[in-house]
C-alpha cells in the first residue's frame, strides 16, 4: 500500500488541499487499526475532493475487498482504469471482486496465468467456492512458496485449521506474524488455535492485548465470547458480546452471538425478533436456522418447526441436534411413532444422554411401544451411572485434545458393546497417540456398523492417512465421504490436503 509520505508528495504535486491530506493520513491510521469501515468513508471523501487519484483508488479498492464489498471494488476498478491503472492490478482487483459477487468462473478467467502470491490467494478462494478443495489447496501452497502476501498466509492457515491440521496452521501463523501487515490476523488465528487446543488462558491473554491495540474493532471481543462459550461460561460470553455490540451493533457476527446466547437462555421471542427479517434466507442447517426453528417450536408453532427441522435433517442425517429437535416437533404435532423413529438412532447409542433417552421414552410411551420400559430403565441408569460419567470425561478430553485420556475413556465405553459413535471417537484419539493400527481397526469396526455413514467413511480414511497406511484406500474413503456430504468443508479440506501429499 502506498506510504503516507508518498501520498503526501503526490498530493503536493497535484495541488490537493489540507483536508484531503488529513483524510488520507487518518485513513492510513484507520487501516493500521483495522477500522476499515471508517477508512472507507475517509477515502471516499478524499476522492470526492481530490478527484480520481490512482493511489487513493488503490487504497479504497483494497479496503473494499477486505470488507467484502465486491460491487464497490468493481466500481473502483473502473475508476482506476480511467485513471491509468495497469491491466495486471485491474484484473486482480476485478477477480477478487468477482469472487465476492459469486462469479467464480469470471474470476478465474481474469486471473489467467498470473502466478503471483496475491493471484494464487484469489484463485484459491474461487476454487473453494466451486468446491475444488484440492485445487484451492494447491493454489495456497504455490502462493505461500511465492511469499509476501499476508492475506494468503491468513487463508492458508484457516484452510489448514478446517483440515484439522493445527500444527501446520501454526507454522503459517508464525510466518504471518513476521509480516507487518499480518499482525492482526496472526494474533486472531493464533488465539483460535489456542482455543481449539483447550489453552483458554493463553487465548484470552492474546485477545485482551488485541482489544487494547484495536479498540474500535469487535473481533477480539467476538473471539473471547466464543471462547467463553466453549468453556461453559455463559455470563462471561454475554459480557464479551455486549462489548462487541457496543463497537459494532450491526455486525452480523454480533447478531449471531446474540441469537446463540438467547437460545441458550431460552429467550425464544428474542430469537424470533432477531431473525424474523431473515426468515426466508436462513439456511436450515446454519446455527441461526436451527435456532429460529427451535424458537418456532417453543413459541407454539410446531408444524413450521417440524418442516424446518425436516429440511435440516434431510441435508445432514448425522446432525444430532436436528434429529432431536425434529423428534420433539413430531411429538408436539401428535406423530409419536415418527418421533420415536427419528430419535431412536441416538437413543440406541451408548453415548445417549438423558435428553435423548427421555425423548425416546416419551415417544415410545405415546405410541404404545414396548421399548418404553427399557428406555426408562436406561434413562435412570444414565442419570446416575458410570457410562454418563465416562462419556463426559471422553468428550471433555477430546475438547482439550488430551488424546490419551480420550482414548482411555472411549476404550472403556467400547468394552460395553459395539457402538459406531464410540468407535469413531476412539479411532480419532488412538490416531493422535500414534496407535495407527488400532485406530484403523476401531474406525473399520465403526464403518462396518454404519457402512454408508459419511462420518465413519471419513474417519476410516483419516486415520489411514494420518498413519501413512494404505494411502490409496485412505484417499478413496475420504473422497467417498466428501462426495456423500459435498458441503462439508472439513471433509473437502482433509481430502485436498492428503491428495496433495500423495500426488493423487
Amino acid at each position: 500500500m502506498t506510504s503516507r509520505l508518498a501520498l503526501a508528495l503526490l498530493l503536493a504535486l497535484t495541488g490537493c488541499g489540507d483536508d484531503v491530506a488529513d483524510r488520507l493520513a487518518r485513513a492510513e491510521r484507520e487501516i493500521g487499526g483495522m477500522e476499515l469501515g471508517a477508512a472507507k468513508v475517509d477515502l471516499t471523501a478524499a476522492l470526492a475532493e481530490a478527484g480520481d487519484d490512482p493511489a487513493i483508488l488503490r487504497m479504497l479498492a483494497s479496503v473494499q475487498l477486505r470488507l467484502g464489498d465486491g460491487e464497490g471494488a468493481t466500481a473502483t476498478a473502473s475508476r482506476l482504469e480511467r485513471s491509468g491503472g495497469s491491466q495486471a492490478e485491474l484484473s486482480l482487483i476485478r477477480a477478487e471482486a468477482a469472487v465476492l459477487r459469486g462469479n467464480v468462473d469470471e474470476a478465474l478467467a481474469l486471473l489467467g496465468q498470473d502466478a503471483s502470491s496475491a493471484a494464487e490467494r484469489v484463485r484459491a478462494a474461487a476454487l473453494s467456492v466451486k468446491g475444488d478443495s484440492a485445487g484451492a489447496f494447491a493454489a495456497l501452497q504455490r502462493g505461500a512458496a511465492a511469499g509476501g502476501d499476508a492475506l494468503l498466509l491468513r487463508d492458508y492457515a484457516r484452510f489448514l485449521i478446517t483440515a484439522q491440521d493445527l500444527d501446520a496452521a501454526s507454522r503459517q501463523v508464525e510466518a504471518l506474524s513476521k509480516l507487518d501487515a499480518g499482525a492482526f490476523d496472526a494474533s486472531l488465528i493464533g488465539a483460535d488455535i489456542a482455543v481449539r487446543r483447550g489453552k483458554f488462558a493463553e487465548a484470552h491473554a492474546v485477545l485482551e492485548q488485541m482489544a487494547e491495540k484495536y479498540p474500535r474493532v469487535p473481533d477480539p471481543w467476538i473471539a473471547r465470547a466464543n471462547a467463553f462459550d466453549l468453556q461453559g461460561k455463559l455470563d462471561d460470553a454475554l459480557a464479551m458480546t455486549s462489548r462487541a455490540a457496543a463497537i459494532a451493533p450491526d455486525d452480523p457476527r454480533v447478531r449471531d452471538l446474540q441469537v446463540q446466547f438467547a437460545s441458550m437462555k431460552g429467550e425464544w421471542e428474542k430469537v424470533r425478533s432477531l431473525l424474523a427479517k431473515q426468515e426466508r434466507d436462513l439456511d436450515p442447517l446454519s446455527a441461526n436456522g436451527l435456532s429460529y426453528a427451535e424458537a418456532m417450536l417453543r413459541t407454539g408453532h410446531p408444524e413450521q418447526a417440524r418442516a424446518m427441522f425436516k429440511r435440516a435433517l434431510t441435508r445432514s442425517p448425522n446432525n444430532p441436534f436436528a434429529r432431536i429437535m425434529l423428534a420433539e416437533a413430531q411429538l408436539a404435532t401428535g406423530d409419536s411413532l415418527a418421533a420415536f423413529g427419528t430419535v431412536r438412532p441416538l437413543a440406541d447409542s451408548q453415548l445417549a444422554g438423558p435428553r435423548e433417552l427421555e425423548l425416546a421414552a416419551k415417544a415410545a410411551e405415546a405410541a404404545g411401544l414396548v421399548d418404553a420400559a427399557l428406555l426408562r430403565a436406561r434413562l435412570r441408569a444414565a442419570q446416575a451411572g458410570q457410562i454418563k460419567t465416562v462419556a463426559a470425561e471422553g468428550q471433555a478430553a477430546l475438547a482439550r485434545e488430551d488424546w490419551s485420556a480420550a482414548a482411555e475413556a472411549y476404550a472403556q465405553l467400547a468394552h460395553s458393546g459395539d457402538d459406531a459413535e464410540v468407535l469413531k471417537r476412539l479411532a480419532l484419539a488412538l490416531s493422535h497417540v500414534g496407535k495407527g493400527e488400532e485406530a484403523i481397526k476401531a474406525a473399520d469396526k465403526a464403518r462396518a456398523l454404519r457402512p454408508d455413514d459419511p462420518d465413519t467413511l471419513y474417519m476410516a480414511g483419516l486415520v489411514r492417512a494420518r498413519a501413512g497406511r494404505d494411502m490409496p484406500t485412505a484417499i478413496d474413503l475420504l473422497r467417498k465421504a466428501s462426495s456423500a456430504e459435498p458441503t462439508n468443508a472439513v471433509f473437502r479440506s482433509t481430502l485436498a490436503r492428503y491428495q496433495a501429499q500423495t500426488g493423487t
Side-chain angles (χ1 to χ4, degrees), residues 65-84:
L65 291 171
R66 181 113 191 203
L67 286 169
D69 181 6
E71 296 292 344
T74 299
T76 300
S78 295
R79 295 169 68 181
L80 180 58
E81 183 174 29
R82 293 191 295 269
S83 300

Side-chain angles (χ1 to χ4, degrees), residues 34 63 125 129 147 203 243 253 272 298 339 355 361 372 459 462 502:
M34 293 304 295
V63 167
V129 174
R243 297 292 294 269
R253 297 170 300 169
R272 286 186 63 187
R298 305 304 182 202
R355 183 178 185 184
M459 190 56 64
L462 177 66
T502 58

Side-chain angles (χ1 to χ4, degrees), residues 360-406:
K362 284 182 179 179
E365 288 164 352
L369 301 175
V370 295
D371 306 74
L374 177 60
L375 286 163
R376 284 292 176 191
R378 287 185 60 206
L379 175 59
R380 288 191 293 272
Q383 289 170 333
Q386 181 68 15
I387 289 178
K388 179 185 175 183
T389 301
V390 176
E393 290 173 352
Q395 181 60 40
L398 282 182
R400 65 177 184 271
E401 292 193 346
D402 185 346
W403 302 113
S404 295

Side-chain angles (χ1 to χ4, degrees), residues 3 25 38 42 53 97 113-114 142 183 194 215 248 275 284 296 339 394 410 415 460-461 464 480:
S3 70
D42 276 319
D53 184 288
Q113 300 303 310
D114 189 344
R142 292 192 301 267
L275 295 176
M296 295 298 286
Y410 288 115
H415 285 310
R464 281 175 168 80
K480 287 178 178 177

Side-chain angles (χ1 to χ4, degrees), residues 191 194-207 224 226-233 399-400:
V195 167
R196 290 169 187 268
R197 286 176 163 160
K199 299 178 180 179
F200 293 107
E202 176 184 323
H204 284 302
V206 170
L207 293 169
R224 293 198 72 193
N226 284 316
F228 278 127
D229 177 37
L230 288 172
Q231 291 176 270
K233 298 180 177 181
R400 65 177 184 271

